[in-house]
Amino acid sequence: MSSSPRSWSRAGATLRTWRARQWAVVGLGALATALVVGVPTAVVPSPLFSRSVPVQWWNYPALFATAALAGSTLGTYVHQPYQREQSGVRDGSRLGVVGSVLTFFAVGCPVCNKLVLVLLGASGAISYWAPLQPLLAVLSLGLLAEAALRRLSFQSVCPVPASA
């Protein structure tokens, strides 16, 4: 019985083969993600945006973990000479995009989100949306972790040549 190509050991094996260029993409991708998500949600303080509701304690680790996972996933897109493209493999790319977007909603100010305000009003945003945000953060991190795991695992899978 063959093992699944998606595994933590395969992902770790891939990470051990990465060169400085991939780690640089991870770092730059993590920084960019932290800024793209953190500045507009005002988790990262800036003169450009403000919040009506203070940043919650869990917003910081959620943003940090999102940045790390997104950076790791971005690092998988740097081509290494020995890698082969794999057709037909579901690599988790969509999961990473969905996870990143969900993080934006999870760490954002509940009453600063226009969509939430239109649907629930200000009191509904505080009463109903705000308590759901930590769960949304957990869901988004789960999707990002799955995307990173798939992309990293599939990079170490050696494809079987097609039969002639």
Side-chain angles (χ1 to χ4, degrees):
M1 184 169 163
S2 66
S3 64
S4 168
R6 182 191 146 276
S7 74
W8 291 105
S9 61
R10 287 184 194 266
T14 297
L15 287 173
R16 286 188 292 277
T17 66
W18 278 10
R19 298 200 164 95
R21 185 171 58 145
Q22 282 177 294
W23 288 111
V25 169
V26 170
L28 291 173
L31 179 61
T33 300
L35 293 175
V36 167
V37 174
V39 170
T41 59
V43 175
V44 174
S46 87
L48 302 173
F49 298 97
S50 63
R51 290 175 70 113
S52 301
V53 176
V55 176
Q56 302 296 308
W57 70 267
W58 58 267
N59 291 157
Y60 298 108
L63 181 60
F64 177 79
T66 295
L69 289 168
S72 298
T73 303
L74 285 171
T76 64
Y77 287 95
V78 176
H79 182 72
Q80 288 192 18
Y82 58 84
Q83 286 179 333
R84 293 188 201 153
E85 293 297 321
Q86 297 197 18
S87 59
V89 174
R90 300 196 67 141
D91 65 3
S93 299
R94 289 185 184 141
L95 293 176
V97 171
V98 172
S100 296
V101 170
L102 285 178
T103 300
F104 187 82
F105 289 107
V107 300
C109 171
V111 295
C112 300
N113 185 325
K114 304 286 188 246
L115 180 62
V116 172
L117 279 178
V118 167
L119 293 174
L120 302 175
S123 63
I126 295 295
S127 301
Y128 301 111
W129 182 251
L132 291 176
Q133 285 182 295
L135 300 173
L136 197 58
V138 170
L139 175 64
S140 69
L141 291 173
L143 291 172
L144 284 164
E146 179 64 21
L149 178 63
R150 285 184 186 186
R151 295 235 8 122
L152 289 166
S153 295
F154 291 143
Q155 282 191 341
S156 70
V157 173
C158 182
V160 177
S163 311

